[in-house]
């Protein structure tokens, strides 16, 4: 049997006609930038996140960058980020001109270890970016407490956590602002690159909206040295259709995850740990861990099961950050995770026989 790592076909087949009809509507309107579809999506997604404002933008990296710009975080400033996440989190800090300060993850949740945050704070620290990695919320109560104590901002990187819930509150409403990605493979994905900033801060929302539009609130009058990062009408229209299905799709993902948690029983495999504070995991990824990860991955791939490593090289060891002069051993937990994690198939529309095949194949590995 062949089970791909991801398959968007079932999801897209169910909404094909609605997508095509909406595309033709946008096409016939002949308005493709900053129109009614974007405005409506921003309102609907803000409501979904239980937040006041949403500003569509080009992608998830831009969303984080725009938040930092909006808070005037830049050269000479420091921003705390997890040492275990996708590089876009730290790239946003670098693009803003600030310095990313890495903090190790908790080995169980893979999210930032809140016990290590305060020792990383200096008089140059302006913000903490809390990543809800793989779809599980970070420990936001503790992070917010630390941030308030030191008068710094809390930014959620919610690129993998659409619909996740922390202590009965949606991600996107847990800090000062949140950045979302709508890359096609996300739980809520566009048909191309897209992103959004979500916040309850009216002043920040107004400023980001201008910065993302060449620094302009009024055409040809530019208050800021802005950029061009706007969600277009076509992607907004598609996201509006998909947003109506997101809860259903997330519930399906959760059922697969529960089957994996209950069915996978192999002493060589570490299954995901769900924190007590997690009301709802978004299950963007189902990530297992094994000391024999490379052999395990080859075994699964040879058995027809698609896998991906999220992520094989920790940020501090990326060539892009060689100027920071880190060496192997500086962040041992992130390094350990990078050599052991493996993401297995989890997508809307998986058949029962496919789920069971993955479970049985994993359980048979020695």
């Amino acid at each position: 049997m062949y089970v791909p790592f991801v398959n968007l076909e079932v999801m897209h087949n169910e909404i094909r006609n609605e997508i095509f009809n909406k595309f033709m509507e946008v096409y016939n309107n002949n308005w493709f930038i900053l129109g009614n579809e974007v405005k409506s999506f921003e309102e609907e997604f803000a409501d979904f996140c239980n937040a006041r404002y949403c500003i569509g933008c080009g992608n998830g990296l831009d969303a984080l960058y725009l938040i930092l710009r909006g808070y005037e975080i830049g050269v000479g400033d420091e921003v705390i980020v997890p040492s275990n996440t996708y590089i876009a989190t730290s790239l946003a800090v670098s693009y803003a001109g600030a310095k990313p300060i890495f903090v190790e993850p908790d080995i169980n949740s893979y999210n930032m270890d809140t016990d290590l945050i305060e020792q990383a704070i200096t008089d140059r620290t302006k913000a903490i970016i809390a990543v809800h990695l793989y779809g599980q919320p970070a420990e936001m109560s503790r992070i917010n407490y630390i941030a308030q104590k030191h008068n710094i901002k809390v930014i959620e990187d919610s690129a993998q956590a659409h619909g996740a819930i922390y202590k009965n509150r949606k991600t996107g409403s847990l800090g000062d602002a949140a950045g979302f990605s709508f890359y096609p493979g996300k739980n809520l994905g566009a048909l191309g690159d897209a992103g959004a900033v979500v916040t309850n801060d009216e002043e920040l929302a107004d400023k980001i909206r201008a910065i993302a539009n060449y620094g302009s609130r009024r055409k040809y009058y530019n208050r800021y040295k802005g950029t061009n990062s706007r969600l277009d009408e076509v992607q907004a229209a598609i996201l509006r259709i998909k947003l109506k299905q997101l809860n259903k799709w997330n519930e399906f993902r959760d059922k697969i995850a529960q089957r994996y948690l209950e069915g996978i029983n192999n002493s060589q495999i570490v299954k995901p740990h769900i924190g007590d504070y997690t009301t709802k995991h978004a299950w963007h990824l189902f990530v297992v861990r094994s000391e024999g990860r490379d052999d395990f991955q080859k075994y699964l791939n040879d058995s027809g099961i698609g896998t991906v490593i999220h992520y094989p090289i920790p940020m501090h060891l990326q060539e892009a950050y060689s100027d920071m002069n880190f060496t192997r051993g500086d962040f041992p937990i992130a390094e350990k995770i990078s050599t052991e994690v493996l993401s297995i198939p989890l997508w809307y529309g998986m058949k029962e026989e496919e789920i069971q095949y993955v479970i049985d194949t994993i359980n048979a590995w020695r």
Side-chain angles (χ1 to χ4, degrees):
M1 180 181 291
Y2 172 63
V3 183
F5 175 70
V6 65
N7 184 347
L8 303 178
E9 186 174 353
V10 176
M11 173 194 300
H12 285 162
N13 281 344
E14 288 186 355
I15 57 175
R16 175 186 294 269
N17 290 338
E18 192 174 3
I19 291 286
F20 284 11
N21 290 338
K22 177 58 76 170
F23 174 80
M24 290 307 302
E25 180 183 327
V26 173
Y27 185 81
N28 290 329
N29 283 341
N30 285 295
W31 191 287
F32 303 108
I33 299 292
L34 298 182
N36 289 331
E37 293 295 340
V38 169
K39 183 176 183 295
S40 295
F41 173 73
E42 289 176 340
E43 293 172 352
E44 290 159 7
F45 192 66
D47 183 66
F48 177 83
C49 295
N50 301 130
R52 294 176 64 193
Y53 307 104
C54 170
I55 306 96
C57 63
N59 52 68
L61 170 56
D62 282 1
L64 296 176
Y65 166 74
L66 288 167
I67 295 169
L68 294 167
R69 281 286 313 275
Y71 281 130
E72 299 183 1
I73 296 171
V75 177
D77 297 330
E78 295 177 351
V79 177
I80 291 173
V81 301
S83 61
N84 177 51
T85 186
Y86 186 53
I87 197 170
T89 310
S90 59
L91 285 178
V93 178
S94 299
Y95 287 173
K99 180 181 179 181
I101 302 298
F102 302 126
V103 169
E104 287 273 65
D106 177 273
I107 191 64
N108 295 310
S109 71
Y110 310 132
N111 281 325
M112 190 186 296
D113 188 338
T114 55
D115 289 337
L116 303 178
I117 293 176
E118 284 199 270
Q119 66 191 50
I121 293 175
T122 72
D123 59 2
R124 294 181 297 277
T125 306
K126 302 300 181 183
I128 301 169
I129 299 183
V131 179
H132 307 309
L133 197 64
Y134 308 145
Q136 174 159 222
E139 225 297 42
M140 294 302 295
S141 294
R142 177 66 176 159
I143 292 171
N144 282 324
Y145 171 80
I146 294 169
Q148 290 165 11
K149 178 179 175 182
H150 295 274
N151 193 31
I152 57 182
K153 298 296 184 181
V154 174
I155 301 167
E156 297 174 75
D157 183 337
S158 298
Q160 300 183 2
H162 314 70
I165 302 175
Y166 171 88
K167 293 184 178 179
N168 298 314
R169 291 180 60 195
K170 288 271 188 73
T171 53
S173 65
L174 301 170
D176 294 292
F180 284 87
S181 166
F182 304 123
Y183 181 79
K186 305 296 187 185
N187 292 35
L188 179 62
L191 299 187
D193 277 321
V197 172
V198 173
T199 184
N200 288 317
D201 185 335
E202 182 178 10
E203 182 179 351
L204 177 71
D206 184 57
K207 189 173 182 179
I208 286 176
R209 197 176 297 282
I211 293 172
N213 187 36
Y214 298 98
S216 173
R217 292 189 177 94
R218 177 183 172 195
K219 195 169 186 179
Y220 303 128
Y221 292 79
N222 303 78
R223 182 171 180 179
Y224 310 104
K225 293 175 182 175
T227 187
N228 175 19
S229 182
R230 301 175 299 200
L231 178 64
D232 69 67
E233 284 288 282
V234 172
Q235 298 299 349
I238 290 164
L239 288 168
R240 291 186 68 200
I241 292 170
K242 287 190 166 188
L243 182 58
K244 294 184 293 186
Q245 305 296 324
L246 182 56
N247 286 333
K248 180 182 78 170
W249 292 341
N250 278 351
E251 288 299 323
F252 194 98
R253 301 176 81 94
D254 184 69
K255 289 179 181 178
I256 297 172
Q258 297 309 315
R259 289 278 285 109
Y260 283 162
L261 290 171
E262 295 166 6
I264 294 174
N265 184 21
N266 186 322
S267 61
Q268 298 179 76
I269 302 299
V270 178
K271 293 179 286 188
H273 171 79
I274 313 302
D276 294 339
Y277 49 78
T278 299
T279 305
K280 188 175 185 63
H281 196 306
W283 294 113
H284 173 59
L285 297 170
F286 193 96
V287 180
V288 298
R289 223 172 72 231
S290 173
E291 292 182 357
R293 190 270 311 282
D294 293 346
D295 289 338
F296 179 50
Q297 182 179 37
K298 184 178 184 305
Y299 163 77
L300 290 181
N301 291 348
D302 289 347
S303 300
I305 297 173
T307 60
V308 176
I309 299 171
H310 294 94
Y311 301 97
I313 304 174
M315 289 189 295
H316 67 285
L317 296 179
Q318 293 281 1
E319 186 176 354
Y321 283 106
S322 60
D323 60 324
M324 297 183 75
N325 297 315
F326 290 116
T327 60
R328 189 168 296 280
D330 287 339
F331 294 91
I333 300 176
E335 292 168 24
K336 175 180 174 64
I337 289 171
S338 73
T339 64
E340 295 182 357
V341 289
L342 189 66
S343 301
I344 63 175
L346 191 158
W347 37 270
Y348 177 76
M350 279 187 76
K351 298 176 182 177
E352 170 58 31
E353 55 265 33
E354 292 173 321
I355 299 168
Q356 191 61 51
Y357 178 68
V358 173
I359 293 171
D360 291 343
T361 304
I362 290 174
N363 288 341
W365 182 60
R366 296 292 181 269

